[in-house]
Amino acid sequence: MTVPAQPTATHHVGGGAPGAHPGLASTLAAAAEGDEIRIAPGVYREAVRIVRSVTLRALGEEAGGRSGAVVLAAPGDGRPALEVAAGARVVVDGLMVEGEAADRPAVVLAGGRTEWSGGRIGAGRLEVHGDAGLAMTGTVLAGAALAGMLLRTGGTVALTDCRLLGTDGTGIVAGGSTRVELLRTDVRDTTGSALRVREDAAVTLRECLIDGAGRSGLLVEDQGSARLTDCRIRACTTDAVRVLGSSSAASSAEAAETTSSREAGSGGVRLHDCELSGTGGDSVRADGRSEVELAFCTLRDSGGSGITAGDDARIRVAGTRIVRTGAAAVVVHGSARLTGRETVIRSSAANGLVATGDAVVHLDDSALDECAYSPVHAGDSAEIRLRGLRITRTPEHGTHLVAGARAVIESTWISDCGMSGVDLADSVRAELRGVAVHRTRNGVTAAGHGPTLLHGCEIADSERAAAVLGPGDQEVTGGSLVRAGTAGLVVEPGAAPRVTGLEIRDAAGSGVVVAGGAEPRLSGVRVLRPAKNGLIVDSGGGGVFEDCEIVAPGFPAVHLAGSAAPVLRRVRVQDAAEDLSAEPDAEPVVEECVSVRVGSAQWPQLAGAAGRKTPLPAGAAHGAAGTAGADGDREEPEESLDDLLGELDTLIGLARVKQDVASLVKLMRMVHRREAAGLAAPPLSRHLVFAGNPGTGKTTVARLYGRILAAVGLLERGHLVEADRSSLVGEYVGHTGPKTQRVFQEAMGGVLFIDEAYSLAPAAGGGNDFAQEAVATLVKLMEDHRDAVVVIVAGYPDEMEHFIDSNPGLASRFNRTLLFEDYDDAELVRIVEQHAASHQYELTEDARDALGTHFSGVPRDHRFGNGRSARQAFQAMTERQAYRVAEIEAPSEADLVTLTRQDVPEAAGAVPGGAA
């Protein structure tokens, strides 16, 4: 037989009601398990200890003072006003509690589970320890000293819609293994830190405010952890977040962006969608062995740095803005490591990013703007890797590297610097790949002794020299130096850089300046339209200059000062008053150099070239440059259409493209013949859309297409001018039109190739984007000069379709699209073989088979580079082969040139990404 449960009894305290108890202690003594105690308004000065499960409910309206409120006041004998013992489950509703003194406990929860709503705790702190649990809603805690809340419990403490005010000390101290959850709770006006987390405690804050802390807003020590989401920390006297140590973060940065992981409390200190503002010190400072993650936060108006990381701290930053810092925005020192992406640093009173000691910084797809000092500074033995950055507007260097720092900078835009865009000093080791430097005093200054690589970089509109190379192991491959205010390339005393495939255009001074004692080696360098000399070698200077071209210099193409002794091999000078001017004691070695349309020539002239501006094929000697004319001079060879089509046919893959180009050639030849016969030519649009993924040969085919049009007679020169959004779009009103016109003018008589043209399409939602002005200017220029320039726009297939549809003028002028398909595995292997042959390597049959297997395992996602992936695979193979052969004591010639299966990178180390 089941005994029915007894109904919960209700007891009354005070108020004069019949049967009411005069005080709480006597009522609790009479109450049974589960009873409810209703308390009339008044002041009850006694120490209440609850040992069984009851409900305390205050009656009447709670007021700002004691009138109409239920106040439980400590008796003054050292005991707290309210204590909950182990095992009790207590509900407290609307009760106001006052302690004996601010520095003593007013409420002690020693165990059990307490649910507290409304009311107030004042003149003393709240303590929770043992295994007590607390859920508190809508309660005010004020007037405590030392600590407002002291938490050291094996249970959970949850505060919702609460306010902790005016603590003379630390607002909340959480230690032991306490778990604290704060929701929409304020901690204001503490003289110490607002929240201190130590030992193994963990706190979670959502939609909370920390305001006016006398020290740090959040202090984490030992193995503590904290998770803040959509919180604000403001007006702290020192740091907003100070981390002296933390537990290890167990999940990745990406996982932290999901709701489930944010709420899981998986270790470390994590801030998501938070704003830290107006601090006297740093917004975030981490030292010791600590892990901190910031995602989609705003750090602004700090007296110190936005982020400082030292010792062994690990910081991850994503989608975060750091604005108006009183010191360097981000400082990483000691052995700390910081990785960041999609982060904006703006208006720093010092540097944007500083890395010193043995720090490591990886920063991707971010922007640094308006820094009072250099946006990026690295020294000591720090290592930085910057990818996809935009660094703008500083009175100092854009990137300044000193001492033994190491840096890799890729696909980065640097502009509007009062000093050098990139300055490399001391023993710095640096690689710059695809870096654009615009509108700086000097472009890149590599004056130190460490090795430097510049690959595919563009340096434009520098006030002084575009590039200055010092005595270190310097190498420049590809890229362009455009419109330098003085010299394009300066080689300093003692320097011996290797420069290949570089183009130097429109320098206001000389194209290349070689100082005394310098021994550079330049190959395949083109110097176009320098205002002074194309190449000047100072007294005592030397070097080797081969397969280079100087076009339309304002002074003699090459000038050699006294005792200069360079080797000039297959240098071509075109459209100059004089090819060589040398002081009497200069001792150059001149081999197979030629001149075209030179007024006073010392080198053999190519005659009959008045209408040709096609560059001489690399390696062609003047003795075999053409056939002798009647006057004994040589004629510049015309490029054969059949040879050009044969060159197109030798390209690997691209079957559909080759077929489309061949059809276009037939059509254009027919048009040319009709015009020669005096017949009206049918309408023909020579402008093309090249649609395809990266690395599929679009630029190579565009260059060939221009030469083919020149061979057919439809273009004067057929040269290729490459451009992208940054080349066409200005940064302020009135800048875009002239900028686009200047690039278009460079392409007159040839092909203007606009890569990633879809970036000119208007963004969703419109906005003030000068790209629309660039497109309108381009459309008008195409109409005004429709017979003088061919425009090719290139990019991903879907994006290019959107781009063409974005402007009716584009749709009417680009009515033919060539689709560049991805290379299959066999074609990629052939591309690797082609690279190997050009660098005097040979692949074994098993290496070819392993390459095929390798490429079949490479994901064809957005990171796949087609031809670039093949080139990177070849580079990885040569590196592996070098390590392998280095172990052979006396390698044979076959060992040096053979690439085997051992040298093929594993598919797991998939290209792109370099060597596995």
Side-chain angles (χ1 to χ4, degrees):
M1 177 177 179
T2 302
V3 178
Q6 294 296 317
T8 300
T10 300
H11 305 269
H12 293 270
V13 178
H21 294 269
L24 274 170
S26 60
T27 310
L28 286 168
E33 187 82 11
D35 285 357
E36 178 177 307
I37 299 173
R38 299 182 178 179
I39 311 167
V43 177
Y44 302 86
R45 189 170 299 279
E46 54 185 314
V48 175
R49 187 170 188 271
I50 303 176
V51 296
R52 61 179 63 88
S53 301
V54 295
T55 297
L56 302 182
R57 196 175 308 281
L59 302 178
E61 295 183 2
E62 187 176 334
R66 297 185 177 188
S67 176
V70 175
V71 179
L72 175 62
D77 57 4
R79 291 179 295 168
L82 177 64
E83 182 178 359
V84 176
R89 297 184 63 87
V90 178
V91 175
V92 178
D93 181 15
L95 187 64
M96 299 182 66
V97 179
E98 291 188 0
E100 177 183 348
D103 60 352
R104 300 185 63 84
V107 176
V108 175
L109 308 181
R113 168 75 179 174
T114 301
E115 296 180 12
W116 192 306
S117 60
R120 179 186 179 96
I121 298 175
R125 64 179 171 269
L126 166 65
E127 290 188 3
V128 183
H129 50 80
D131 63 350
L134 170 65
M136 181 174 278
T137 304
T139 303
V140 175
L141 300 94
L146 301 182
M149 297 178 64
L150 184 59
L151 313 175
R152 188 182 179 86
T153 175
T156 298
V157 176
L159 275 64
T160 302
D161 296 318
C162 295
R163 291 188 297 159
L164 197 154
L165 309 174
T167 303
D168 185 10
T170 303
I172 300 174
V173 179
S177 58
T178 306
R179 296 295 178 262
V180 182
E181 299 174 1
L182 305 183
L183 174 62
R184 296 188 301 276
T185 291
D186 297 353
V187 182
R188 297 174 181 257
D189 301 322
T190 60
T191 61
S193 297
L195 178 58
R196 182 182 182 188
V197 184
R198 55 193 305 267
E199 298 173 327
D200 293 314
V203 301
T204 301
L205 284 73
R206 298 196 302 275
E207 302 176 48
C208 293
L209 169 65
I210 294 175
D211 187 14
R215 300 187 69 180
S216 299
L218 169 66
L219 173 62
V220 181
E221 303 171 272
D222 306 324
Q223 295 296 308
S225 64
R227 182 69 57 89
L228 281 69
T229 303
D230 196 17
C231 295
R232 290 175 295 158
I233 302 178
R234 65 192 187 195
C236 301
T237 302
T238 60
D239 308 318
V241 175
R242 181 82 163 97
V243 185
L244 297 173
S246 75
S247 62
S248 297
S251 60
S252 66
E254 288 78 9
E257 296 177 18
T258 65
T259 302
S260 59
S261 66
R262 286 201 307 268
E263 296 176 349
S266 56
V269 177
R270 299 167 180 265
L271 283 74
H272 190 283
D273 256 339
C274 294
E275 180 179 281
L276 283 56
S277 63
T279 60
D282 300 338
S283 293
V284 176
R285 183 180 183 90
D287 294 295
R289 299 186 64 85
S290 55
E291 299 192 28
V292 179
E293 181 176 301
L294 304 171
F296 310 105
C297 294
T298 297
L299 317 180
R300 62 179 177 86
D301 301 309
S302 63
S305 298
I307 299 173
T308 296
D311 298 332
D312 293 315
R314 298 292 182 264
I315 308 285
R316 295 187 298 274
V317 185
T320 290
R321 298 178 68 249
I322 305 174
V323 184
R324 294 187 298 276
T325 57
V330 177
V331 178
V332 188
H333 60 93
S335 299
R337 184 184 183 99
L338 181 142
T339 58
R341 58 184 175 85
E342 298 174 6
T343 291
V344 173
I345 295 172
R346 179 171 291 126
S347 300
S348 165
N351 302 101
L353 165 66
V354 174
T356 58
D358 295 316
V360 177
V361 176
H362 291 182
L363 189 60
D364 295 345
D365 302 320
S366 299
L368 295 88
D369 184 35
E370 292 186 332
C371 298
Y373 300 164
S374 296
V376 176
H377 176 90
D380 297 332
S381 299
E383 175 186 322
I384 63 172
R385 192 210 67 200
L386 312 176
R387 180 183 297 160
L389 265 61
R390 188 173 182 89
I391 300 172
T392 56
R393 294 186 291 187
T394 174
E396 295 196 352
H397 302 298
T399 298
H400 189 208
L401 308 178
V402 299
R406 293 166 294 164
V408 176
I409 306 175
E410 300 177 296
S411 304
T412 287
W413 170 276
I414 301 173
S415 70
D416 302 291
C417 304
M419 300 171 72
S420 297
V422 178
D423 184 73
L424 310 174
D426 304 327
S427 300
V428 166
R429 303 170 62 91
E431 293 184 19
L432 278 64
R433 298 180 179 274
V435 174
V437 180
H438 286 221
R439 297 184 302 280
T440 59
R441 190 176 190 186
N442 287 313
V444 174
T445 304
H449 299 275
T452 301
L453 169 66
L454 275 67
H455 178 76
C457 297
E458 177 192 84
I459 304 172
D461 300 310
S462 56
E463 180 183 337
R464 296 187 177 178
V468 179
L469 303 182
D473 180 15
Q474 318 285 21
E475 182 175 353
V476 180
T477 61
S480 60
L481 311 180
V482 184
R483 295 182 297 277
T486 56
L489 173 64
V490 175
V491 185
E492 295 193 322
R498 303 176 302 282
V499 182
T500 58
L502 178 67
E503 184 168 279
I504 304 172
R505 302 198 305 268
D506 302 309
S510 297
V512 179
V513 176
V514 179
E519 293 283 344
R521 188 177 190 96
L522 274 64
S523 175
V525 172
R526 303 181 72 224
V527 181
L528 307 179
R529 301 178 298 277
K532 296 183 179 179
N533 305 104
L535 166 65
I536 180 169
V537 182
D538 207 351
S539 298
V544 178
F545 305 84
E546 56 186 3
D547 297 316
C548 295
E549 183 179 18
I550 301 173
V551 178
F555 289 11
V558 178
H559 176 75
L560 307 178
S563 73
V567 175
L568 306 174
R569 182 178 298 128
R570 296 186 299 278
V571 175
R572 169 182 168 140
V573 174
Q574 178 176 310
D575 299 326
E578 191 175 353
D579 51 11
L580 175 65
S581 106
E583 295 182 10
D585 53 347
E587 298 180 349
V589 175
V590 180
E591 300 174 358
E592 304 178 280
C593 296
V594 296
S595 295
V596 180
R597 296 190 297 277
V598 173
S600 176
Q602 296 191 36
W603 298 340
Q605 284 263 42
L606 293 179
R612 295 286 300 160
K613 295 184 181 179
T614 303
L616 184 70
H622 73 272
T627 58
D631 57 359
D633 288 329
R634 307 240 174 219
E635 295 182 354
E636 184 182 16
E638 295 284 344
E639 289 193 292
S640 162
L641 179 60
D642 290 337
D643 289 344
L644 291 171
L645 291 175
E647 187 177 340
L648 175 66
D649 194 54
T650 60
L651 297 179
I652 295 170
L654 306 176
R656 290 179 57 178
V657 171
K658 294 173 184 176
Q659 183 179 351
D660 290 342
V661 171
S663 299
L664 281 169
V665 168
K666 291 178 182 178
L667 177 60
M668 288 184 291
R669 295 182 79 172
M670 182 271 293
V671 169
H672 190 57
R673 288 168 181 164
R674 286 181 61 89
E675 289 176 337
L679 300 173
L684 172 65
S685 175
R686 296 174 295 176
H687 309 301
L688 298 175
V689 177
F690 282 8
N693 291 323
T696 48
K698 296 187 289 295
T699 306
T700 300
V701 173
R703 186 172 286 109
L704 265 172
Y705 184 63
R707 293 163 61 194
I708 288 170
L709 291 180
V712 173
L714 293 179
L715 281 178
E716 179 188 357
R717 294 174 59 189
H719 66 294
L720 184 79
V721 173
E722 297 183 55
D724 57 15
R725 177 187 171 95
S726 65
S727 308
L728 304 173
V729 180
E731 298 184 359
Y732 50 83
V733 174
H735 189 206
T736 296
K739 195 171 183 180
T740 303
Q741 290 172 7
R742 184 165 59 243
V743 174
F744 196 91
Q745 189 65 34
E746 290 180 20
M748 292 293 283
V751 173
L752 176 58
F753 180 77
I754 304 175
D755 199 10
E756 297 181 354
Y758 50 80
S759 63
L760 298 172
N768 185 17
D769 188 353
F770 298 131
Q772 298 178 48
E773 181 185 350
V775 171
T777 303
L778 190 63
V779 168
K780 184 178 187 304
L781 290 170
M782 289 169 66
E783 179 62 28
D784 294 343
H785 305 280
R786 56 182 176 272
D787 295 327
V789 175
V790 167
V791 179
I792 298 176
V793 292
Y796 294 103
D798 292 343
E799 285 83 348
M800 290 307 299
E801 184 176 347
H802 168 66
F803 168 64
I804 297 301
D805 291 342
S806 68
N807 185 297
L810 294 175
S812 65
R813 286 163 179 80
F814 292 98
N815 52 25
R816 186 183 296 270
T817 298
L818 272 61
L819 181 62
F820 287 69
E821 298 175 333
D822 288 343
Y823 293 112
D824 61 28
D825 297 340
E827 290 168 342
L828 292 169
V829 173
R830 288 174 58 199
I831 293 173
V832 174
E833 289 183 287
Q834 192 177 71
H835 284 297
S838 67
H839 290 82
Q840 296 180 301
Y841 285 94
E842 297 177 0
L843 272 68
T844 63
E845 193 60 40
D846 61 345
R848 294 185 184 92
D849 294 341
L851 268 173
T853 303
H854 165 71
F855 286 124
S856 67
V858 175
R860 296 306 204 263
D861 57 15
H862 67 283
R863 297 179 68 241
F864 179 63
N866 280 289
R868 283 193 283 275
S869 292
R871 183 183 69 248
Q872 291 167 341
F874 168 67
Q875 291 172 345
M877 291 178 70
T878 59
E879 292 175 12
R880 287 166 169 258
Q881 187 248 23
Y883 288 121
R884 177 172 57 79
V885 173
E887 300 297 323
I888 303 174
E889 185 173 348
S892 65
E893 183 178 345
D895 292 328
L896 296 173
V897 302
T898 303
L899 299 174
T900 70
R901 173 183 290 272
Q902 295 174 266
D903 305 320
V904 177
E906 297 85 0
V911 176

